[in-house]
Amino acid sequence: MLGKKLVTAQKRGETRALCLGLGMVACSMMMYFFIGITIVPFYTKSVWTAETVCKVLKANIKDEVFCSNSEGSEDEEIFPYPCLQVWVNLTASGQEVMLYQTEDTLERNPKCSYVPDKLENSKEVKARIETIASNFKKYQTFPCYYDPGGTQTNVILSRLYPSKGLLFAFLWPTLMFTGGCLIIVLVKISQYVSVLSAWQ
């Protein structure tokens, strides 16, 4: 009687462990799919893949410009801000090119090197842009990214999705997938050993 209870409890435990492993594998596949349709296209779309050193030539704040948070947005979402233009000397080619914060900055406003998020306080936006301009004048040399194919003549300060970020995004689903497969394999080994012991 006790033996039957132990066998039943063992089967229940194996079933739960098997469901856990299958659930982990399914969740990891969903995470892979989500990363594949969101992050990977932005990573492959970016042409600024080569890293070099940029030296600041000039960092000027022009008159205020207007920027919209998104395409087709309402008038109340359009806000003014000082336009910061940073020109750098590209070490790789020796050209004088304009610097942008990220790929998204160029798409939102190609006239300015930095596009702030919408803030209610315009003084805070102005102070932030002045601080950024002073930092560029203070730190003359820094790493930047350029297009080795020559499609884009400008450079960016940082990529939205760098290689390390992409690898980190794939790390968690990979660990979950590996753990789920390991649980399934261990359950199958346990079942095989139980059948072998019962046969002997």
Side-chain angles (χ1 to χ4, degrees):
M1 190 68 178
L2 182 60
K4 289 183 179 180
K5 289 183 178 180
L6 289 174
V7 171
T8 304
Q10 183 180 5
K11 288 183 178 180
R12 288 179 181 175
E14 290 176 349
T15 303
R16 291 174 181 174
L18 191 60
C19 289
L20 175 62
L22 291 174
M24 292 175 66
V25 171
C27 288
S28 64
M29 298 305 289
M30 291 177 62
M31 292 174 68
Y32 277 129
F33 176 75
F34 180 75
I35 294 172
I37 63 174
T38 55
I39 298 179
V40 173
F42 287 104
Y43 176 79
T44 55
K45 183 182 177 182
S46 177
V47 295
W48 295 270
T49 55
E51 184 175 354
T52 185
V53 176
C54 289
K55 184 177 181 181
V56 176
L57 296 176
K58 52 185 176 181
N60 301 324
I61 299 178
K62 301 294 184 180
D63 296 334
E64 286 192 348
V65 294
F66 293 87
C67 181
S68 173
N69 280 343
S70 59
E71 294 183 0
S73 60
E74 300 296 333
D75 291 340
E76 58 266 16
E77 293 185 357
I78 300 176
F79 62 100
Y81 62 92
C83 182
L84 171 64
Q85 292 183 347
V86 181
W87 292 87
V88 297
N89 184 11
L90 188 61
T91 305
S93 60
Q95 295 177 336
E96 181 180 339
V97 295
M98 190 169 177
L99 174 74
Y100 295 93
Q101 183 185 12
T102 61
E103 300 95 331
D104 184 59
T105 307
L106 179 61
E107 293 181 1
R108 293 178 64 185
N109 191 350
K111 295 181 180 179
C112 304
S113 298
Y114 173 76
V115 177
D117 296 328
K118 184 178 180 182
L119 297 175
E120 299 297 333
N121 191 351
S122 59
K123 292 183 179 179
E124 185 178 349
V125 175
K126 185 178 181 180
R128 178 182 298 180
I129 293 177
E130 288 177 353
T131 302
I132 294 173
S134 62
N135 286 336
F136 275 118
K137 293 176 182 178
K138 182 179 179 181
Y139 304 100
Q140 292 282 315
T141 306
F142 50 87
C144 59
Y145 295 90
Y146 73 99
D147 176 17
T151 307
Q152 294 287 344
T153 56
N154 42 56
V155 296
I156 60 174
L157 181 62
S158 60
R159 300 181 66 185
L160 285 174
Y161 300 102
S163 301
K164 291 182 180 179
L166 189 66
L167 292 175
F168 186 77
F170 278 108
L171 175 63
W172 297 112
T174 301
L175 291 176
M176 184 178 293
F177 180 81
T178 305
C181 291
L182 185 61
I183 290 175
I184 295 173
V185 170
L186 291 176
V187 169
K188 291 300 182 181
I189 292 175
S190 176
Q191 291 176 346
Y192 175 77
V193 171
S194 298
V195 171
L196 188 63
S197 300
W199 181 77
Q200 289 180 348

